[in-house]
Amino acid sequence: MPTALIADDEPLLMAAFASRLAVVWPQLQIVAQAKNGVEAVALLSQWQPDFAFLDIRMPGLNGLQVAATWRDTRVIFVTAYDEYAVAAFEQSAVDYLLKPVSEARLAQCVLRLQREVKPSVDWSQLSRELIAPAPPTYLQWLTASLGDSTRLIAVDEVRYFQATDKYTEVVTESGRFLIRTSLKDLLPQLNPQFFAQIHRSYLVSLPAIAKIEKDLLGRQQIYLKNNFAILPLSRSHAAQFKQM
């Protein structure tokens, strides 16, 4: 939000000007109002606003002296005297408004100032975004073999993976396929919200699990939905299901 200071030794005129600014530019925040030049310099240093609307003839320091003292704010002179215009623009004034300021002239000035307002950069947020690690990307598709053919399989179709001697079987409801990737290399590529290792030879799709039960020998087993399969759950991997 752009900010501004108004300085005028006539409080009523200053209040009226602030009200008119609020109508023409509602987003502009008037952060300070000064009754003389010395106060204006102090408030400029304190608030460091984007714009300063300065009367020229003020006690203490006049508007030109204030502008010469404080260079970090864009200045608009608001005065009843036109003889200071040249000096004002020598102080890098953005605009020079003659009192009484008409509605059209004020609107024209505001449009000029709005073009100068640049979006502020939240440097701390930008720094956090640059430092933050990129979100992980997970495997979406598998290229698997079935006999002499090669199939493209969506990972969310997989019910479980089973390690074999040289390959890994990819088991879906439509068949069993082979890939050359080991379970050890495959696991980090899968979204942990949907896949988990349940045995040294098995990775299972978590949404496919129907229930976990013990058999007559006390071994835990994972039953997949629709009686699709029963898979072993080793003790070393059972703890992850106790918190579910």
Side-chain angles (χ1 to χ4, degrees):
M1 176 178 290
T3 56
L5 169 144
I6 301 175
D8 196 314
D9 61 342
E10 298 182 68
L12 293 179
L13 290 179
M14 182 161 58
F17 187 74
S19 298
R20 294 176 62 197
L21 265 180
V23 172
V24 179
W25 195 356
Q27 295 80 17
L28 182 67
Q29 183 181 7
I30 307 298
V31 294
Q33 297 185 18
K35 298 183 295 294
N36 56 61
V38 175
E39 192 174 71
V41 171
L43 291 173
L44 284 170
S45 176
Q46 176 183 349
W47 291 97
Q48 301 186 18
D50 299 303
F51 304 104
F53 295 87
L54 304 179
D55 190 10
I56 289 186
R57 291 190 177 180
M58 294 187 293
L61 297 171
N62 65 39
L64 295 170
Q65 292 170 316
V66 172
T69 303
W70 187 259
R71 296 283 187 179
D72 295 335
T73 295
R74 282 157 285 186
V75 171
I76 304 93
F77 289 104
V78 187
T79 177
Y81 308 95
D82 59 4
E83 62 264 35
Y84 299 107
V86 173
F89 286 106
E90 287 177 349
Q91 296 294 343
S92 301
V94 178
D95 208 340
Y96 192 94
L97 301 177
L98 279 174
K99 295 177 181 177
V101 183
S102 68
E103 297 296 332
R105 185 68 182 87
L106 182 60
Q108 181 187 38
C109 174
V110 166
L111 284 175
R112 176 179 298 172
L113 300 183
Q114 288 173 335
R115 285 196 293 268
E116 294 198 354
V117 175
K118 298 179 180 178
S120 59
V121 177
D122 187 337
W123 293 106
S124 60
Q125 176 64 27
L126 180 59
S127 176
R128 288 194 296 271
E129 292 176 356
L130 291 174
I131 294 174
T137 56
Y138 296 108
L139 199 61
Q140 301 293 320
W141 297 90
L142 293 164
T143 302
S145 300
L146 178 62
D148 295 331
S149 65
T150 299
R151 293 280 300 274
L152 192 63
I153 300 172
V155 170
D156 57 9
E157 293 181 10
V158 178
R159 295 299 172 260
Y160 64 92
F161 297 93
Q162 182 178 357
T164 63
D165 289 340
K166 297 181 180 178
Y167 302 98
T168 293
E169 283 193 333
V170 181
V171 183
T172 72
E173 293 188 1
S174 61
R176 306 172 78 93
F177 308 89
L178 293 176
I179 58 175
R180 294 181 181 272
T181 307
S182 67
L183 290 186
K184 180 181 178 181
D185 293 335
L186 185 61
L187 184 60
Q189 302 180 58
L190 300 173
N191 189 335
Q193 292 185 334
F194 299 106
F195 285 90
Q197 185 157 18
I198 57 173
H199 185 276
R200 59 184 174 83
S201 299
Y202 291 92
L203 304 179
V204 70
S205 165
L206 296 174
I209 295 177
K211 60 182 178 180
I212 300 172
E213 288 186 352
K214 290 183 179 179
D215 63 12
L216 295 176
L217 299 176
R219 296 172 300 195
Q220 295 191 92
Q221 294 180 311
I222 290 180
Y223 290 74
L224 300 191
K225 294 176 181 176
N226 304 318
N227 298 317
F228 185 75
I230 302 174
L231 306 177
L233 174 59
S234 67
R235 290 183 179 178
S236 60
H237 294 98
Q240 62 187 315
F241 295 100
K242 291 182 179 178
Q243 298 177 351
M244 294 182 178

